[in-house]
Amino acid sequence: MKGTVGSPELGSVIVGVDGSGPGRRAALWAAAEAALRHSPLRIVYAADTDGRVLYLSAESIERVRSAGHELLRETAAAIAEKYPGLHVTTEFSRGAPVPSLHRSAGLRGTVVVGNRGLGGFKHLMLGSVGLKVAAGATTPVIVVRGLDDGAETGVVLAAVRDEHDVECARYAAREAEIRKASLRLLYVWNVFESAGLAVTMLDDIEAIAGEHVHHLTAVADLIRDEFPALTVRTDAEKSLTVAGVLVEASRHADLLVMGGRRSPGFIGPTLGRVTHSLLHHAHCPVQLIPRQVSGHGNES
């Protein structure tokens, strides 16, 4: 599918299923996303039989295999009924869910997961597989949540911090474009975090606010140039909790797109505090655009 010059191609959609209710809802949401993109959908069931071969009997492995293939058939049939023109393929993987989904996504695919799985901790807002998929991703990941929170709003929300979030804003613009929706670019800054420990700097709040608005305006101007037909709204807010403002804003969006900053202070794949909070508590699906930030003191 041809996109706006300079905009990212959204790529194919890969969804993980596990037999849970959230997994099924994620599959249907992923099918709708693939239809909007005019791209293929791949449904993946990862049985992890290779990792359990030493302590599962051949009969047990065969039952897992049969159940997995049946789940794939049922899911594909339900999607074909609702989206008859969509190109759908299925994959039964003997490996673990997280590497299987990352591998299936390749270099450009978008991985879609539900907000809960079949694990024993039903009170958790995001299953361990979904969290690990998001934390270790090198391609976009969408955690499907908030589908029961209300009707479609016609708005795609992008969390913007500075010019480093241009690519995130581009993805959000493409998502808004295919939905025929508007784009809201939201910058939230914590006054105490911005002022640091020097109390005297609080006297210069207006200058600090102006600097933040400058970053937001620069991103918005670039997006408007690249997507001239798109309605783009910008908002800057200050708050004691960045995550709280974004969670509340997600009530009024069909999709929240944000960059996946990773703190340089951690070893291995990690998610920033704000990103982690949104994946657990947002009121709409969250698309994470992964990127590595080096030498940046703030994480999101």
Side-chain angles (χ1 to χ4, degrees):
M1 180 175 62
K2 298 279 187 184
T4 305
V5 174
S7 67
E9 287 293 335
L10 294 178
S12 61
V13 180
I14 298 88
V15 62
V17 294
D18 59 1
S20 67
R24 181 179 176 84
R25 289 192 291 273
L28 292 172
W29 191 95
E33 175 74 11
L36 286 171
R37 296 183 180 193
H38 300 287
S39 68
L41 173 69
R42 188 164 187 81
I43 310 169
V44 178
Y45 177 83
D48 196 19
T49 51
D50 284 353
R52 297 184 288 175
V53 68
L54 293 180
Y55 56 89
L56 283 182
S57 66
E59 292 79 9
S60 295
I61 290 178
E62 179 58 28
R63 283 197 295 271
V64 171
R65 189 194 69 81
S66 296
H69 282 291
E70 181 60 25
L71 176 61
L72 289 171
R73 283 192 294 269
E74 291 177 354
T75 306
I79 289 172
E81 182 177 356
K82 192 167 185 178
Y83 302 95
L86 185 63
H87 178 62
V88 180
T89 60
T90 62
E91 176 187 344
F92 177 90
S93 171
R94 299 182 308 178
V98 175
S100 296
L101 288 168
H102 287 163
R103 182 176 60 253
S104 188
L107 297 177
R108 297 175 57 245
T110 297
V111 176
V112 178
V113 293
N115 67 310
R116 292 185 185 177
L118 290 173
F121 300 97
K122 296 296 186 183
H123 65 283
L124 292 180
M125 302 301 289
L126 177 61
S128 60
V129 169
L131 192 60
K132 290 175 182 176
V133 167
T138 56
T139 64
V141 171
I142 298 175
V143 175
V144 177
R145 52 177 306 105
L147 297 185
D148 300 324
D149 284 11
E152 292 184 359
T153 66
V155 176
V156 171
L157 173 67
V160 175
R161 189 181 184 92
D162 52 36
E163 285 89 340
H164 293 292
D165 284 316
V166 166
E167 191 65 11
C168 167
R170 285 192 177 109
Y171 270 97
R174 289 288 291 118
E175 293 285 6
E177 189 177 56
I178 64 175
R179 286 170 168 75
K180 303 187 187 317
S182 62
L183 173 64
R184 181 188 182 194
L185 302 178
L186 177 59
Y187 182 93
V188 186
W189 57 287
N190 185 312
V191 59
F192 294 111
E193 182 179 275
S194 298
L197 298 178
V199 177
T200 55
M201 288 185 66
L202 294 174
D203 296 333
D204 201 19
I205 291 298
E206 292 303 320
I208 296 172
E211 181 67 19
H212 292 309
V213 171
H214 168 76
H215 291 307
L216 176 62
T217 301
V219 173
D221 288 346
L222 188 148
I223 295 301
R224 289 188 178 108
D225 286 344
E226 294 186 5
F227 298 84
L230 188 64
T231 299
V232 181
R233 170 188 168 191
T234 61
D235 289 296
E237 298 185 23
K238 67 176 183 291
S239 173
L240 296 178
T241 165
V242 175
V245 173
L246 291 173
V247 167
E248 184 61 28
S250 72
R251 292 182 185 273
H252 312 289
D254 298 323
L255 179 68
L256 166 61
V257 184
M258 60 190 309
R261 296 173 191 258
R262 298 178 183 178
S263 172
F266 288 91
I267 297 175
T270 62
L271 296 174
R273 292 184 298 273
V274 175
T275 304
H276 195 278
S277 296
L278 268 294
L279 291 178
H280 281 80
H281 301 295
H283 296 282
C284 69
V286 178
Q287 182 176 33
L288 178 66
I289 310 300
R291 65 184 179 85
Q292 185 73 41
V293 176
S294 59
H296 198 297
N298 296 322
E299 59 173 335
S300 64

